[in-house]
Amino acid sequence: MEQHINSINVSEIKSLSGFKVRTCNANEMSGEGAQIGHLWQRFYSEIAPELTSTSQVYGVYTHYESDVIGDFDVYACTNTPINTVETESVDLAAGHYLRFIPLCLI
């Protein structure tokens, strides 16, 4: 899938809620044990119906164990508080980030 990449500045901490998985690149690339696709499927089936027109959707990659072979956390989340399902929270620190937008959404 082609993507448009640009950068954004987040001026203050954003509290996000959604679903989280812990994975590694080897599992995601091999297909065995891959979790990120299922994570987003669950997000769109359980959380997306609760979103509003002002909701923003985030994919947050964090808590890296080491380098490209280590485990890391991935959150499929939103800035909209979700109270109808069991979710986890993550804070997005103020800073400079890359934003990846699928071209089909532009």
Side-chain angles (χ1 to χ4, degrees):
M1 173 184 294
E2 291 186 51
Q3 299 179 47
H4 174 74
I5 302 171
N6 62 13
S7 60
I8 60 170
N9 282 312
V10 175
S11 59
E12 59 187 42
I13 293 174
K14 290 183 182 266
S15 293
L16 308 173
S17 61
F19 298 127
K20 176 187 89 169
V21 296
R22 186 138 183 97
T23 190
C24 66
N25 287 327
N27 287 349
E28 296 302 320
M29 298 302 287
S30 73
E32 291 184 32
Q35 300 180 70
I36 296 174
H38 298 291
L39 171 73
W40 283 104
Q41 286 175 343
R42 183 175 180 208
F43 178 87
Y44 281 108
S45 68
E46 296 181 35
I47 293 179
E50 305 296 323
L51 301 180
T52 68
S53 61
T54 60
S55 297
Q56 294 178 325
V57 174
Y58 295 82
V60 178
Y61 289 66
T62 188
H63 300 117
Y64 284 85
E65 179 180 72
S66 58
D67 54 14
V68 297
I69 62 170
D71 290 350
F72 55 92
D73 292 339
V74 181
Y75 290 82
C77 49
T78 180
N79 62 327
T80 301
I82 303 296
N83 298 316
T84 59
V85 293
E86 189 175 316
T87 59
E88 296 198 35
S89 297
V90 63
D91 287 335
L92 184 64
H96 191 75
Y97 294 91
L98 290 179
R99 178 169 57 180
F100 301 85
I101 306 168
L103 289 181
C104 65
L105 298 178
I106 295 178

